[in-house]
Amino acid sequence: MSGLNVSPEIERLIALLAKLPGLGPRSARRAALDLLKKPNALMRPLALALGEAADRISTCQICGNVDAQNPCHICTAPGRDITTLCVVQDVADLWAMERAGAFRGRYHILGGTLSALDGIRPEDLNIASLIDRASHEDVKEVILAMNATVDGQTTAHYITDHLAKANVQVSRLAHGVPVGGELDYLDDGTISAAMKSRRPF
Amino acid sequence: MSGLNVSPEIERLIALLAKLPGLGPRSARRAALDLLKKPNALMRPLALALGEAADRISTCQICGNVDAQNPCHICTAPGRDITTLCVVQDVADLWAMERAGAFRGRYHILGGTLSALDGIRPEDLNIASLIDRASHEDVKEVILAMNATVDGQTTAHYITDHLAKANVQVSRLAHGVPVGGELDYLDDGTISAAMKSRRPF
């Protein structure tokens, strides 16, 4: 923030806000000003919420979810199906699955994907613990819900290979036309996949 | 965040982050996750910075700037020219002027612009205090640095009328081609203004 003639408190606030994903230096300044204009309505509540989250939220030792309890409320929910595991890259993907409400089993969060480019190897991800969980007699199916990117699919193949010894069915999400999607705007790969997986009407 | 199956601490954090300008619900979730992954590197420092800013920063009683001292460090700086006042809409504009380093006088922050549409009247802005300050014998020039929008210029005209009695010169920022700007991308109004205000080379 060189050249910005402000007090150190404001400078520090802007510098920290600029570290949030989605906020650059300019929007961090805007956010800081907005906070400074609402000390009691927004700034103090946000400070409190951050402090509470830092104190109370931890990573679930079983699935890798973030929650106020450990194991998390999904891993301990009595109503959820213990025979299926849905493997996702990140907590954000777990949230997306929960928003869709299409899965009532348990999750396993990898913490990323294998990537030769970024030097992310199998031991950097929660893959060993996944193999462990999948080998438990209760688990019948592992659903690989990684992103449909090259790295995501590479990771899915790697995991499928390593689940060969575990007595589970391995499945993946279907590829196809997104609901509400227009063919004209879809890439060729998606159209080919949708055509190949076509179903009787 | 209905449907998002998370603990109340996380839900509250996301809801507050989503109130920041520039962050929608989706980017607030991303920001919250990023914070949760960095409790000590980012979440606690941000909580602390917010708390400190809320405690220490106030609005300058003279110019309306936000600062750890009141009157602010610009109003009290001995090296700054006390004969010129630069009138800006918002603290962000004061920061922009300071970044440019093109003004060494003092500021007056209006807190917005007159707007019939939004029901913002002269008494909602810091206009009375500006007239007061401009009437002081030390002040020789008032520079109106409002945005070049309809509301900004309406406000500038209103202020000019009300400064008639004060014995000051009223000026405004020049209109013209932005430095580095290409004519082909400029609107007609800017090109006309630049042509009208052309200067000997």
Side-chain angles (χ1 to χ4, degrees):
Chain A
M1 306 307 305
S2 67
L4 191 52
N5 194 355
V6 298
S7 73
E9 290 88 350
I10 301 180
E11 201 160 333
R12 200 173 317 127
L13 181 59
I14 295 174
L16 286 165
L17 286 170
K19 289 186 184 171
L20 293 180
L23 285 184
R26 190 193 188 79
S27 41
R29 287 199 296 269
R30 267 185 66 210
L33 263 184
D34 197 66
L35 285 160
L36 286 166
K37 284 178 194 164
K38 302 168 185 163
N40 294 317
L42 190 52
M43 191 150 51
R44 284 182 208 281
L46 183 55
L48 201 71
L50 286 163
E52 279 186 356
D55 288 342
R56 295 195 198 155
I57 304 297
S58 62
T59 301
C60 173
Q61 65 198 61
I62 298 176
C63 74
N65 189 12
V66 287
D67 198 22
Q69 59 182 81
N70 184 2
C72 78
H73 71 282
I74 295 182
C75 282
T76 53
R80 297 189 76 117
D81 177 14
I82 61 166
T83 66
T84 48
L85 279 183
C86 178
V87 183
V88 291
Q89 294 180 202
D90 201 82
V91 176
D93 302 321
L94 180 156
W95 289 355
M97 292 295 275
E98 288 295 295
R99 279 200 304 280
F103 177 68
R104 296 298 302 165
R106 295 185 182 176
Y107 292 94
H108 193 88
I109 292 157
L110 289 181
T113 52
L114 298 176
S115 168
L117 216 61
D118 299 332
I120 299 175
R121 297 154 307 168
E123 53 268 38
D124 299 323
L125 304 174
N126 302 322
I127 291 182
S129 56
L130 170 63
I131 313 280
D132 264 9
R133 291 180 75 189
S135 307
H136 192 277
E137 56 179 290
D138 285 343
V139 178
K140 306 292 179 219
E141 183 179 3
V142 172
I143 304 166
L144 301 177
M146 269 73 85
N147 288 343
T149 57
V150 172
D151 282 346
Q153 296 310 302
T154 306
T155 312
H157 281 292
Y158 179 90
I159 290 175
T160 307
D161 287 349
H162 284 73
L163 283 175
K165 278 183 223 147
N167 185 26
V168 289
Q169 188 187 336
V170 181
S171 54
R172 64 162 179 79
L173 297 184
H175 290 317
V177 182
V179 175
E182 297 178 38
L183 290 191
D184 195 20
Y185 290 92
L186 282 178
D187 63 297
D188 301 347
T190 302
I191 293 183
S192 301
M195 181 57 84
K196 221 189 287 177
S197 308
R198 66 190 179 277
R199 304 181 50 173
F201 194 64
Chain B
M1 305 308 305
S2 69
L4 190 53
N5 195 355
V6 298
S7 72
E9 290 88 348
I10 301 180
E11 201 159 334
R12 200 173 317 127
L13 182 59
I14 294 174
L16 286 166
L17 286 170
K19 288 186 184 171
L20 292 180
L23 285 184
R26 190 191 187 79
S27 41
R29 288 198 297 269
R30 268 185 66 210
L33 263 184
D34 197 65
L35 285 160
L36 286 166
K37 283 178 193 163
K38 302 168 185 165
N40 294 318
L42 190 52
M43 191 150 51
R44 284 182 209 279
L46 183 56
L48 200 72
L50 286 163
E52 279 187 356
D55 288 342
R56 296 194 198 156
I57 304 297
S58 62
T59 300
C60 173
Q61 66 198 60
I62 298 177
C63 74
N65 189 13
V66 287
D67 198 20
Q69 59 183 79
N70 184 0
C72 78
H73 70 283
I74 294 182
C75 283
T76 54
R80 297 189 75 118
D81 177 15
I82 59 166
T83 67
T84 48
L85 279 184
C86 178
V87 184
V88 291
Q89 294 181 199
D90 202 82
V91 177
D93 301 321
L94 181 157
W95 290 354
M97 292 295 276
E98 288 294 296
R99 280 201 303 280
F103 178 68
R104 296 299 299 165
R106 296 185 180 176
Y107 292 94
H108 193 87
I109 292 158
L110 288 181
T113 53
L114 298 176
S115 168
L117 216 61
D118 300 331
I120 299 175
R121 296 155 308 166
E123 52 268 37
D124 299 322
L125 304 175
N126 302 322
I127 291 182
S129 55
L130 170 64
I131 313 279
D132 264 8
R133 291 181 75 190
S135 307
H136 192 277
E137 55 179 289
D138 286 341
V139 178
K140 306 293 179 215
E141 182 178 4
V142 172
I143 304 166
L144 301 178
M146 269 73 87
N147 288 342
T149 57
V150 171
D151 282 345
Q153 296 311 301
T154 305
T155 312
H157 281 294
Y158 180 90
I159 290 174
T160 307
D161 288 349
H162 284 73
L163 283 175
K165 279 183 222 146
N167 185 26
V168 289
Q169 189 188 334
V170 181
S171 54
R172 64 162 178 79
L173 297 185
H175 290 318
V177 182
V179 175
E182 297 178 38
L183 290 192
D184 195 20
Y185 289 92
L186 281 179
D187 63 298
D188 301 347
T190 302
I191 292 183
S192 302
M195 180 58 84
K196 221 189 286 178
S197 308
R198 68 188 179 279
R199 303 181 51 174
F201 195 64

